[in-house]
Amino acid sequence: MKIGILTGGGDCPGLNAVIRGVLRCAVGKYRWELTGFLHGYKGLIENETVPLNLKMDAGLLQRGGTIIGTSNRDNPYAYSETIGGKKVVHDVSDRVVDTYNKNGLDALIVVGGDGTLSTALKLSQKGLNIVGVPKTIDNDLSATDYTFGFDTAVNIVTEAIDRLKTTAESHDRVMVVEVMGRDTGWIALYSGLAGGAHIVLIPEIPYDMDCVCRKIYERKGRGKNFSIVLVAEGAKSVKGEVTIKRTVDDPTTGVRYGGIGNILGDEIEEITKIETRVTALGHIQRGGTPSAFDRILCTRLGVEAVNMIAEGNFGKMACLDTPDITTVPLEEAARNRKVDPQDSVIKAAKDIGISFGD
Ligand code: F6P
């Protein structure tokens, strides 16, 4: 057997741990050949490959990023290239099928988030033997309890809150911390709870500035002269819109969020007259070593993907259905999941006094 693997979308801690799990099971156990396609779907479109062998697995478990590269723009159904000096965006999915056949693949493992997995579904409907593995720090896929990378991101943000709290307390300041998550507030919610933020603002609950400031005043009234305001990049006020930082050549969303932290920080300082500082954690949340939880999840998902191929269980994604690893059809894999404002985690957070600005 000969199989391929690609990692698509934004990178995320644990991608290499998945590659290691696949490598050890596919090459070590089954003695198959494994080919890595470089930079996500681009490698599959342009036939850019690297053979993956067991000598390469040293240090992969803990290594951040992805050794085969990734891309969040190269979609085979809307591929951008320059032909005869003119930029065109067109469907090159037949080239993907050619590359798959040229490489003599029996199956392909696609590791990615909603955009990458939606494309995987279309390619599987085109006849390729595909299995998916759910990745994203945003945790916004409904078919799995958790996506890998999320736990690591939550740990990174939690540590940042711990550190910002000591400086906020020393200076009697408000610290605004902006975190990633696109249209969902999973990272903000979980790290807000873990780090003990006082105000958590998420896209699913539009916030009211009066409520935000009331919470800061209420804390001040109790002698707590500092506050931590954790804001998800996709959060918006009841009166406002989401804050777009830039438009990008990415056919899935076309935009990147960012900047709400600064807007919010300025407003809080102006209204409360309390000195306010803003920290946008940005790509720090996606870099470096995966947590122990993510290493275990990645290893299990990688092994499951290989076993799915061994069983001919194609057109599906491996997922976590705690405590088991199971499979779901790719049709269900790319469905987006938002935080439910009635979620028990939100309720617990409210019960200990965390404000969501509502
Ligand atoms: O989907 C992962 C993610 O990190 C989002 O949380 C964020 O909005 C986006 O990717 C950032 O993308 P880029 O790396 O292109 O700036």
Side-chain angles (χ1 to χ4, degrees):
M1 290 264 280
K2 189 166 179 194
I3 67 167
I5 184 167
L6 69 83
T7 53
D11 76 330
C12 161
L15 285 165
N16 285 323
V18 173
I19 294 171
R20 174 180 174 270
V22 169
L23 191 57
R24 288 202 165 190
C25 190
V27 182
K29 180 180 167 194
Y30 290 116
R31 305 282 161 204
W32 299 344
E33 272 180 64
L34 178 63
T35 299
F37 288 87
L38 298 174
H39 298 106
Y41 286 117
K42 184 165 188 286
L44 210 51
I45 297 164
E46 306 288 354
N47 196 15
E48 292 167 356
T49 64
V50 61
L52 297 170
N53 60 55
L54 285 173
K55 284 191 198 135
M56 298 163 96
D57 86 334
L60 280 189
L61 187 58
Q62 57 270 50
R63 183 163 160 188
T66 161
I67 57 163
I68 52 175
T70 188
S71 158
N72 48 14
R73 2 194 105 133
D74 299 301
N75 179 341
Y77 289 90
Y79 191 55
S80 167
E81 56 189 342
T82 308
I83 300 174
K86 244 180 114 185
K87 193 182 155 187
V88 288
V89 178
H90 59 158
D91 178 346
V92 293
S93 55
D94 287 342
R95 262 151 75 178
V96 167
V97 177
D98 282 351
T99 309
Y100 181 96
N101 291 331
K102 244 187 241 159
N103 283 275
L105 296 187
D106 294 291
L108 176 72
I109 297 173
V110 174
V111 188
D114 54 356
T116 306
L117 292 170
S118 308
T119 303
L121 169 63
K122 288 196 203 163
L123 291 172
S124 117
Q125 287 162 344
K126 226 173 151 68
L128 305 192
N129 293 334
I130 292 190
V131 300
V133 176
K135 161 247 67 156
T136 167
I137 62 164
D138 302 338
N139 199 38
D140 59 356
L141 295 182
S142 65
T144 184
D145 286 353
Y146 296 103
T147 54
F148 74 81
F150 171 65
D151 182 70
T152 306
V154 166
N155 278 295
I156 292 166
V157 177
T158 302
E159 192 197 334
I161 296 172
D162 289 349
R163 290 179 185 278
L164 289 165
K165 236 184 208 179
T166 61
T167 160
E169 192 170 13
S170 308
H171 286 270
D172 292 345
R173 280 175 174 165
V174 172
M175 287 287 184
V176 175
V177 189
E178 181 184 306
V179 298
M180 284 183 166
R182 257 193 337 184
D183 296 303
T184 63
W186 294 104
I187 297 176
L189 174 60
Y190 275 64
S191 54
L193 203 56
H198 308 111
I199 298 165
V200 176
L201 306 177
I202 62 173
E204 294 86 345
I205 306 178
Y207 65 86
D208 180 335
M209 226 22 227
D210 290 345
C211 296
V212 172
C213 294
R214 201 176 309 131
K215 178 70 188 175
I216 295 169
Y217 291 138
E218 181 239 298
R219 283 181 51 75
K220 209 170 159 50
R222 287 189 286 115
K224 311 266 191 183
N225 292 329
F226 71 101
S227 290
I228 302 290
V229 183
L230 188 60
V231 60
E233 62 181 359
K236 52 180 181 295
S237 87
V238 283
K239 292 182 196 145
E241 286 302 317
V242 72
T243 314
I244 292 172
K245 181 150 195 174
R246 67 182 78 216
T247 54
V248 285
D249 194 8
D250 160 5
T252 312
T253 58
V255 292
R256 292 290 179 269
Y257 298 155
I260 183 70
N262 282 321
I263 294 171
L264 193 68
D266 287 348
E267 281 179 345
I268 290 173
E269 193 167 65
E270 198 184 308
I271 297 168
T272 64
K273 310 288 179 235
I274 300 172
E275 206 177 8
T276 301
R277 294 287 186 269
V278 179
T279 304
L281 290 175
H283 291 80
I284 285 173
Q285 294 159 91
R286 271 186 10 204
T289 300
S291 66
F293 178 90
D294 277 335
R295 294 182 200 193
I296 295 166
L297 179 58
C298 290
T299 304
R300 294 179 75 198
L301 290 171
V303 167
E304 179 68 14
V306 174
N307 284 328
M308 286 161 75
I309 294 173
E311 290 157 12
N313 196 6
F314 303 123
K316 299 209 176 139
M317 180 186 82
C319 60
L320 176 65
D321 183 5
T322 311
D324 299 317
I325 298 290
T326 165
T327 66
V328 289
L330 280 174
E331 282 85 349
E332 286 169 36
R335 274 186 209 145
N336 192 263
R337 173 178 53 191
K338 295 199 186 297
V339 175
D340 175 359
Q342 306 306 323
D343 192 292
S344 61
V345 180
I346 298 258
K347 283 192 178 140
K350 286 189 169 174
D351 284 348
I352 59 160
I354 295 177
S355 164
F356 287 84
D358 61 339

